[in-house]
Amino acid sequence: AWISKASVRQRKGRAGRVQQGICYQLFPSWKLDSMEDYQRPEIQRTPLEQLCLQVRQLGLARNGKGGVEQFLQRVLTPPPKQTLSNAIHTLLAIEALDAEDESLTALGAHLASLPMDPKIGKALVFGSLLGCLSPILTITAILSYRTPFVMPWDKDELQKADQTKKAFADGKASDHYALLNAFTTWSEAEARGKGKGMRYAKKNYLRGDTMLMIEQMRSQFLDLLVDAGLVSSDSFKELKYGYEDRNAGSWPVIKACLVAGLYPNILRIDAKKKGAPKLFSKESGHVKLHPASVNCKPAEKQGKSYWNGKWLVYLDKVKTQGGLFVYDTTEVSPLPLLVFGAGDSKGKLLEVDEASHFSKKRSSKNNNENKYDTTDEDDDNTTDEHALTIPLSLEEEAVEFVEKICVANGGTFPMAKLSGMLKRTRPDLREKIGKIRTWIDDNDDKFKLKKTHGKWTIYAVTSDKLNKNTHLSETDASGAPQPSFVGVEDWVYFGVRGEDARLVEEVREQVRHILQRQVHRHYEMSAADLNFLDTVCWAFECCDAKQVS
């Protein structure tokens, strides 16, 4: 962002404040002519998320949707409508505002009391809840300031700096772990005194002054959490952590807090056997790893074998002439995404049936009969209690699967999106379908294919006959729960069982209740709440361990 002409004149005046001086301005004269006369008001050039939260907290805007936007449009220099709309959308995405009336949620009430970026604040809130506050304080302080790693100009030195940074990552696919490990080891050296911290920083290509600033920011963040009632001041005397750091050594739990804070900054990994992976974000499509990331070169060399999962959380993305790059990435497992990222502010998950493997019943009153049960579905009294089921063929599974996917999506589904989803979740069905256009023609009684805006879209012929509001087929004919897909904002899909999908919703709802109780009771964590949160952390660890294995 360029300064204004007024700022240019002010800086020029400083050169001659006490005596004649020279001011060097490192931009061409044509750039000076294009600069604004005066700097725009801060409300027009800074993020508005925290301001929107404070407007709600102070009760300045009318209740209901659009109240905050209407209020801020009445100020002397109103912010751009698109910037304001994006801020509201972000707050809805991180569940700081209620989706129905844009009122403060329990989480939003906490974030409004923390004068910082809401995403950073959310990570701190969940760090205190899940018992990994110390590492989250470090990571959020670094993300709020700047990276401590030095980028030398000399090629050989740059290579050594990259190797040192990867050593801090300790084999993990995470820039955040490298940052955390670098600060932790520097702190140990700094505590020994006699300038050992500065020598350690210089030896390991770290900025010593940046490390000192990060340490100060950690203390400031801690004070803010104590003032907000999220952390007990008694247990944090001299920064000696108690149960707030009970999971400080659990990297899966720390990653879950990062997901909670940085969501919806999520990338999908489509890794290849060799070469750089394809990374996709919902808003921007294809993006690239920044060359400074610890994940960049190993991913290119090792290909698919480098990744344990399919998802990355990231801090920010920047567009350059070389493309759209993402900074500070960490590979994450599916469960934190479902618990802290999926669905809307009411916890509703997009659930789509996978094809029922046992959907056709046949009678077994006598072992010699192999006829399909033709009883009326509405007549419960005529259903044979000894009814057996036979599995669907793979072709029938494919038809039922695509049909239900289309129905859940309003009767249509993009052909390219279906192909990619099948490759990741049901490769057996993808192989059976083969060329999708040919398969659609062979099942023209079920589907139609149309080209809209240059893209092929599948239309389910029977979609008007099915219930478009039905998301999850809970049981099959035998009463056994069937597999389903749980989706995050209609582009992330996970294969789970029906009872697991309901359990995820219950966990999300319980976390909201705990946050709500904290708002009203001002930091009183009951034993039941603590046991519940520790169980959730245990589940994160199990999910991460299974993914790695």
Side-chain angles (χ1 to χ4, degrees), residues 281-399:
S281 70
K282 183 181 178 183
E283 301 83 6
S284 308
H286 182 235
V287 298
K288 301 176 183 178
L289 287 171
H290 191 271
S293 170
V294 299
N295 293 325
C296 185
K297 292 180 182 178
E300 292 178 356
K301 292 180 180 179
Q302 301 177 31
K304 196 171 185 178
S305 62
Y306 178 73
W307 305 104
N308 295 316
K310 295 180 180 293
W311 312 103
L312 283 175
V313 62
Y314 68 95
L315 172 64
D316 199 6
K317 52 180 182 280
V318 177
K319 191 171 185 179
T320 67
Q321 292 182 347
L324 192 60
F325 292 90
V326 290
Y327 288 79
D328 296 334
T329 58
T330 290
E331 185 182 37
V332 295
S333 53
L335 186 57
L337 285 176
L338 290 177
V339 174
F340 296 138
D344 57 26
S345 64
K346 293 299 182 183
K348 299 298 182 183
L349 303 176
L350 169 66
E351 299 170 1
V352 183
D353 289 334
E354 185 177 334
S356 299
H357 295 274
F358 301 95
S359 65
K360 294 183 180 179
K361 295 190 292 183
R362 68 183 177 189
S363 174
S364 65
K365 289 181 181 179
N366 118 27
N367 292 334
N368 295 324
E369 292 183 0
N370 282 320
K371 297 180 181 179
Y372 290 109
D373 187 354
T374 58
T375 56
D376 189 344
E377 294 180 358
D378 295 328
D379 189 355
D380 294 333
N381 295 327
T382 60
T383 303
D384 184 4
E385 63 180 358
H386 299 289
L388 296 177
T389 58
I390 61 171
L392 290 173
S393 68
L394 205 57
E395 174 65 22
E396 290 172 320
E397 276 194 63
V399 171

Side-chain angles (χ1 to χ4, degrees), residues 11-176:
R11 295 178 186 185
K12 183 178 178 181
R14 289 176 181 172
R17 181 163 295 175
V18 295
Q19 65 181 31
Q20 292 294 323
I22 299 174
C23 176
Y24 294 95
Q25 297 171 339
L26 302 181
F27 49 79
S29 57
W30 62 264
K31 173 56 70 175
L32 176 63
D33 295 336
S34 65
M35 291 178 181
E36 297 180 346
D37 292 333
Y38 298 94
Q39 191 176 43
R40 288 182 298 156
E42 187 174 0
I43 195 174
Q44 294 184 343
R45 53 185 172 84
T46 57
L48 301 174
E49 288 84 359
Q50 187 62 32
L51 178 60
C52 293
L53 289 175
Q54 291 175 356
V55 167
R56 273 293 180 218
Q57 185 185 43
L58 296 174
L60 300 176
R62 66 169 176 82
N63 296 328
K65 281 190 175 183
V68 174
E69 294 182 67
Q70 185 183 50
F71 174 80
L72 291 177
Q73 287 299 323
R74 292 162 51 195
V75 301
L76 291 176
T77 52
K81 290 185 178 180
Q82 187 60 48
T83 304
L84 187 52
S85 176
N86 291 343
I88 296 295
H89 176 76
T90 298
L91 294 174
L92 290 171
I94 67 174
E95 301 183 5
L97 294 180
D98 190 277
E100 290 186 357
D101 57 4
E102 293 181 2
S103 60
L104 283 179
T105 62
L107 175 62
H110 285 305
L111 298 182
S113 62
L114 299 174
M116 62 183 68
D117 186 309
K119 290 183 179 179
I120 298 297
K122 185 177 179 182
L124 288 171
V125 169
F126 279 92
S128 65
L129 285 180
L130 301 184
C132 55
L133 185 55
S134 178
I136 290 298
L137 279 170
T138 299
I139 294 173
T140 53
I142 295 173
L143 298 184
S144 299
Y145 187 43
R146 66 179 183 182
T147 177
F149 290 108
V150 176
M151 297 285 288
W153 289 100
D154 183 76
K155 187 176 181 180
D156 293 336
E157 289 295 310
L158 179 60
Q159 187 176 5
K160 291 180 181 178
D162 286 340
Q163 292 173 351
T164 302
K165 189 175 182 180
K166 289 181 176 63
F168 280 126
D170 195 24
K172 293 179 173 60
S174 172
D175 291 305
H176 300 109

